[in-house]
Amino acid sequence: MASDPNMIPQSGLLSAEANQAAALAAFGGVLTVDLDAIIANWRKLEKTAVPAECSAVIKADAYGCGTAQVAQALNKAGCKTFFVATIEEARTARAAVPDATIYVLGGYFQNTGEHYAKINCRPVIGDLNELAEWDVFCRRTGWSGGAAIHIDTGMNRLGLTLSEAQAIIPRINAGDHGITLVMSHLVSAEQLNSPINAKQLAAFRGIASEFSGVPAALANSSGIFLGAPFQFDLVRPGAALYGVNPTPEADNPMQQVVDLKARIVQIRSIERGETVGYGGTWSARRPTKLAIIAVGYADGYFRAASSNDGTRGAEVIVAGKRCPVAGRISMDLIAIDITDLPPNAARRGHMVTLLGEGITVDELAHHFGTIGYEVLTSLGHRYARVYKGGNVVEPLVKPEPAKAAEQPPSPPPLEQPSAPPPLPS
């Protein structure tokens, strides 16, 4: 087990264990990421998708779990391809996995080619203007690092239309095109019987088959479980890697990854009829014992999980038992009703569990009125972060752009033309 040195200072006067215990005491909460669980989830997805390659989506700081740590652990386990959202995320990923293939989902903008080249990563191009600008950069510099083509089959978000994709087929089939992947994104993969799944599959299969010799990718986490026809050459799991249920109509096949604990800062008692928290929306129906814990909505524990006199909110695990939130969740604090616990079962300084011990990301998402993706990516940076498993990888210092991976050598800076040339028909 290793702690994030950027979060937890170390003293040379104590043992490693004593250092960690002393350092954790300075934080209101501890977020533990189980890298072995992430690896196990990736391997399950990989096995489900065989013979397709299983990549990993590590955007948004690997869904809040740590880009460098997750990328290194998965790369050691055999993952060779990663997807991020921005060039800045790609820099962090490249420092962690120097030899991996990295795609940037956010696309290509004029004058950003040098950034891609310096760290040897590939844009996911979803617009004809992007493609023209990318062509200009590649022709002017000789860069041949590769790119993906994103085709919209129903999301109506990013991607070439089917007719636009059809128009570039002659260019692709002429060879020497530098396109290393053609992809699309499913709209409702988590809904097994959604008719749009079959519609998107048919549309993508038809257009992808015309990209001669170019690997294809359609399935996200949930799409992997739609079956072999959706898996093509590569699958792109994201949330499932981190424990979110990719099959919400059935039991979760993934292992839980994140454990979140918070410290009790005070124990207090109130009388029947007294209220708790902002607005006085929750009233004690009996003499009540409360534990106040040092986490709130500033830490990603949403205010929507509050309780009032008519609605029960979220629960936390205190001394092994579920206890309900009492009143509104504050920015930095939450009140928990611990009246039913044995005397002295909870004391100031004890830790309670907000995620883990049976409380899943999806359960918390239900109380937050959102999805597990948002729960994970909202977990704040005021926690002490602890990593276990995965051969324990320490966080890496984010490199400056000029000091990123040196393969292959970057081209000299070039001035881009004001307008890209027209695409070949």
Side-chain angles (χ1 to χ4, degrees), residues 326-374:
R328 286 182 177 164
I329 292 165
S330 304
M331 182 180 290
D332 314 302
L333 299 166
I334 304 172
I336 308 298
D337 184 348
I338 60 169
T339 309
D340 293 330
L341 294 181
N344 298 319
R347 298 184 181 183
R348 176 174 172 267
H350 285 184
M351 303 296 281
V352 305
T353 299
L354 285 71
L355 266 174
E357 296 186 59
I359 298 177
T360 67
V361 171
D362 295 296
E363 176 185 337
L364 207 53
H366 171 75
H367 289 294
F368 288 177
T370 185
I371 56 176
Y373 300 62
E374 190 175 12

Side-chain angles (χ1 to χ4, degrees), residues 348-424:
R348 176 174 172 267
H350 285 184
M351 303 296 281
V352 305
T353 299
L354 285 71
L355 266 174
E357 296 186 59
I359 298 177
T360 67
V361 171
D362 295 296
E363 176 185 337
L364 207 53
H366 171 75
H367 289 294
F368 288 177
T370 185
I371 56 176
Y373 300 62
E374 190 175 12
V375 174
L376 290 175
T377 57
S378 297
L379 294 176
H381 294 283
R382 299 199 294 186
Y383 303 116
R385 292 188 170 236
V386 176
Y387 292 89
K388 66 179 184 178
N391 294 324
V392 178
V393 287
E394 296 290 357
L396 298 173
V397 177
K398 187 182 299 181
E400 295 296 328
K403 297 180 181 179
E406 298 181 355
Q407 56 170 21
S410 60
L414 290 172
E415 182 179 352
Q416 299 283 357
S418 58
L423 287 168

Side-chain angles (χ1 to χ4, degrees), residues 61 67-68 87-97 119 396 398-399:
D61 196 29
T67 299
I87 293 176
E88 188 65 19
E89 291 180 348
R91 289 192 183 107
T92 302
R94 174 57 72 211
V97 285
I119 57 175
L396 298 173
K398 187 182 299 181

Side-chain angles (χ1 to χ4, degrees), residues 14-371:
L14 302 173
S15 68
E17 293 77 9
N19 261 322
Q20 185 177 70
L24 293 180
F27 293 87
V30 178
L31 178 68
T32 301
V33 178
D34 187 342
L35 295 172
D36 281 345
I38 293 177
I39 291 171
N41 288 340
W42 180 78
R43 285 179 171 151
K44 183 176 185 64
L45 294 163
E46 179 190 38
K47 183 178 180 180
T48 303
V50 167
E53 178 188 350
C54 188
S55 67
V57 179
I58 55 171
K59 62 182 180 176
D61 196 29
Y63 289 60
C65 292
T67 299
Q69 296 88 343
V70 171
Q72 284 189 350
L74 287 177
N75 192 233
K76 289 178 181 178
C79 184
K80 298 177 181 178
T81 303
F82 297 87
F83 288 82
V84 296
T86 67
I87 293 176
E88 188 65 19
E89 291 180 348
R91 289 192 183 107
T92 302
R94 174 57 72 211
V97 285
D99 300 321
T101 298
I102 300 174
Y103 285 97
V104 181
L105 294 163
Y108 180 81
F109 286 91
Q110 193 172 5
N111 299 320
T112 60
E114 293 166 24
H115 297 291
Y116 283 99
K118 282 179 180 178
I119 57 175
N120 187 23
C121 63
R122 303 175 181 181
V124 176
I125 293 172
D127 177 89
L128 289 180
N129 290 322
E130 292 180 38
L131 184 58
E133 291 163 1
W134 177 250
D135 280 343
V136 168
F137 175 76
C138 292
R139 286 200 302 268
R140 295 284 298 274
T141 65
W143 177 248
S144 58
I149 294 292
H150 185 176
I151 300 172
D152 177 35
T153 55
M155 181 71 78
N156 288 315
R157 198 174 56 176
L158 295 177
L160 276 66
T161 66
L162 291 172
S163 60
E164 288 173 336
Q166 188 69 47
I168 67 170
I169 294 298
R171 172 191 179 280
I172 300 300
N173 291 343
D176 195 27
H177 48 70
I179 302 304
T180 54
L181 184 70
V182 58
M183 58 177 279
S184 189
H185 196 59
L186 293 165
V187 174
S188 301
E190 72 282 359
Q191 299 175 23
L192 293 176
N193 297 317
S194 174
I196 196 170
N197 292 332
K199 184 178 179 181
Q200 285 190 271
L201 175 61
F204 184 67
R205 181 190 287 128
I207 193 68
S209 65
E210 298 194 49
F211 281 70
S212 180
V214 179
L218 177 63
N220 56 0
S221 290
S222 296
I224 293 171
F225 293 90
L226 292 176
F230 288 82
Q231 293 165 4
F232 290 88
D233 302 295
L234 180 141
V235 295
R236 310 185 311 270
L241 294 171
Y242 312 103
V244 175
N245 188 359
T247 57
E249 297 175 1
D251 292 339
N252 190 354
M254 316 316 296
Q255 293 185 24
Q256 180 138 331
V257 168
V258 172
D259 179 274
L260 178 60
K261 289 183 168 52
R263 191 176 306 282
I264 297 175
V265 294
Q266 190 175 105
I267 302 290
R268 62 188 303 121
S269 297
I270 61 173
E271 297 300 322
R272 183 178 182 274
E274 290 190 77
T275 64
V276 175
Y278 284 114
T281 58
W282 187 93
S283 305
R285 299 181 180 182
R286 57 181 176 173
T288 299
K289 191 174 183 181
L290 300 171
I292 312 301
I293 63 173
V295 161
Y297 59 75
D299 304 290
Y301 200 91
F302 290 14
R303 193 169 181 263
S306 302
S307 65
N308 56 48
D309 285 340
T311 304
R312 188 178 178 91
E315 296 175 328
V316 304
I317 307 295
V318 185
K321 295 185 178 180
R322 286 183 173 242
C323 297
V325 169
R328 286 182 177 164
I329 292 165
S330 304
M331 182 180 290
D332 314 302
L333 299 166
I334 304 172
I336 308 298
D337 184 348
I338 60 169
T339 309
D340 293 330
L341 294 181
N344 298 319
R347 298 184 181 183
R348 176 174 172 267
H350 285 184
M351 303 296 281
V352 305
T353 299
L354 285 71
L355 266 174
E357 296 186 59
I359 298 177
T360 67
V361 171
D362 295 296
E363 176 185 337
L364 207 53
H366 171 75
H367 289 294
F368 288 177
T370 185
I371 56 176

